[in-house]
Amino acid sequence: MSLEGSLETAADGTRDAVMFVFTVTNSGDEPVDLQFSDACKAEFVLENDGNEVWRFSEGRMFAQVLSSDALAPGEETTYEAEWSDPEPGDYTAVAELRAQDEHCAARADVSVPS
């Protein structure tokens, strides 16, 4: 099984929010069944010089629901998050799939204007 991830980030010009779009693609020849133990299917983290400055799941509660996403070969799915009221600076964004038996992650740089 082969999952590939890509992460797009965008800080709007008014510094109100940073948007994240994490795309997970099944690049293998077999279907992949992603199993999740709660409603948070992907984690998003912002780092500055190796220090964590924001985590999507911090202070949030997620429904404890078993769910799954099936990806056929070549198919993709996306997971989104938003960092509201970010601090100006240059960051590394990290997105990671929270499926039970599959791993996929991606990184991207993002700058928040002052």
Side-chain angles (χ1 to χ4, degrees):
M1 267 179 254
S2 185
L3 295 176
E4 294 181 7
S6 64
L7 178 60
E8 294 180 32
T9 63
D12 69 16
T14 62
R15 210 196 94 197
D16 290 338
V18 176
M19 300 298 299
F20 306 95
V21 179
F22 178 40
T23 302
V24 176
T25 304
N26 177 0
S27 59
D29 296 329
E30 300 290 326
V32 175
D33 191 30
L34 304 174
Q35 299 290 323
F36 300 96
S37 57
D38 64 26
C40 184
K41 296 182 177 185
E43 180 67 271
F44 298 85
V45 176
L46 266 286
E47 299 173 347
N48 183 308
D49 293 328
N51 297 313
E52 185 176 303
V53 296
W54 177 82
R55 177 175 290 269
F56 173 71
S57 63
E58 186 72 29
R60 297 174 189 245
M61 296 180 67
F62 298 94
Q64 301 297 304
V65 205
L66 296 177
S67 66
S68 65
D69 288 341
L71 292 178
E75 191 174 20
E76 65 184 31
T77 187
T78 59
Y79 306 99
E80 298 180 1
E82 177 181 301
W83 180 23
S84 300
D85 197 27
E87 293 294 320
D90 295 322
Y91 302 94
T92 299
V94 180
E96 186 171 351
L97 187 66
R98 291 186 38 156
Q100 293 177 359
D101 296 325
E102 302 294 333
H103 179 76
C104 185
R107 301 172 81 83
D109 294 328
V110 61
S111 293
V112 177
S114 47

